Amino acid sequence: MDWSPFVVCPPEERAPSARGMGGPDGLGDRLRTAAFAERQAFAAFMWAAENIPDASNELRDVWRRIGLEEKKHLDMLLGRMKELSVEVAARPVSDRLWRGLSSCVTVAEFSALMREAEARGQAAEETFRRALADRDPVTAAIFGSIADDEAEHLALADRLSVHRAP
């Protein structure tokens, strides 16, 4: 998988921990990590729509739609990184999410793993929205918008019950 412009660490290594939120490097780390999570989610939804054999056509369509929303999130984050002069390739990121999702073979397996990732992402984005509200309202609004979309994705997963094993 070509992840450029991101630099991905080897599978056996962990990505460096994010630096403190008090400075621009810490904000950049969070933007980079969030952007790469969105990139992986986009790729995973599109992959699942084509490769998970027990998915219905309706579910494949939903996954493609959500994948395009993840791409929109990626573009928003990359745009903000550019505005803030945050270099995408400055620090490595982990593709562990993609590796896990792309190894799924059933709807239940993929949906459960993706639901867990969406919930983690939504919680982090809500935290960033609150933490940045006064200091950087533009970035806070971006994280807030993404968190709201992730909440819709989770509600959709619950409604379709695709995250539950049969």
Side-chain angles (χ1 to χ4, degrees):
M1 178 66 79
D2 178 10
W3 294 118
S4 60
F6 295 95
V7 174
V8 177
C9 60
E12 67 277 2
E13 291 181 20
R14 295 181 60 86
S17 297
R19 293 167 281 194
M21 279 287 282
D25 290 337
L27 177 59
D29 291 347
R30 282 154 185 85
L31 284 164
R32 182 180 303 104
T33 298
F36 192 59
E38 299 295 339
R39 173 66 180 93
Q40 292 175 89
F42 165 67
F45 276 118
M46 296 309 199
W47 173 87
E50 299 302 321
N51 293 286
I52 301 286
D54 63 334
S56 68
N57 287 337
E58 176 190 16
L59 184 55
R60 291 175 195 284
D61 290 343
V62 168
W63 282 345
R64 286 183 192 102
R65 183 178 58 80
I66 292 173
L68 293 175
E69 289 176 9
E70 304 293 1
K71 173 74 166 74
K72 179 186 81 169
H73 299 160
L74 169 64
D75 292 343
M76 290 170 26
L77 291 162
L78 290 175
R80 187 61 179 152
M81 290 173 72
K82 185 175 183 176
E83 291 170 359
L84 296 173
S85 299
V86 173
E87 177 57 42
V88 175
R91 293 183 65 153
V93 290
S94 171
D95 67 350
R96 190 173 114 201
L97 176 61
W98 163 255
R99 286 184 281 117
L101 290 166
S102 65
S103 69
C104 294
V105 295
T106 66
V107 167
E109 187 181 11
F110 179 83
S111 296
L113 193 57
M114 183 55 83
R115 187 180 197 296
E116 182 181 310
E118 293 273 320
R120 273 193 322 269
Q122 183 198 21
E125 287 140 2
E126 285 292 351
T127 298
F128 299 148
R129 177 184 356 210
R130 287 189 305 274
L132 296 169
D134 294 331
R135 190 173 89 206
D136 184 347
V138 173
T139 303
I142 291 169
F143 278 123
S145 175
I146 295 169
D148 293 344
D149 285 350
E150 303 298 4
E152 289 179 24
H153 298 171
L154 290 167
L156 181 60
D158 289 341
R159 193 169 58 253
L160 294 175
S161 298
V162 296
H163 65 280
R164 293 182 181 91

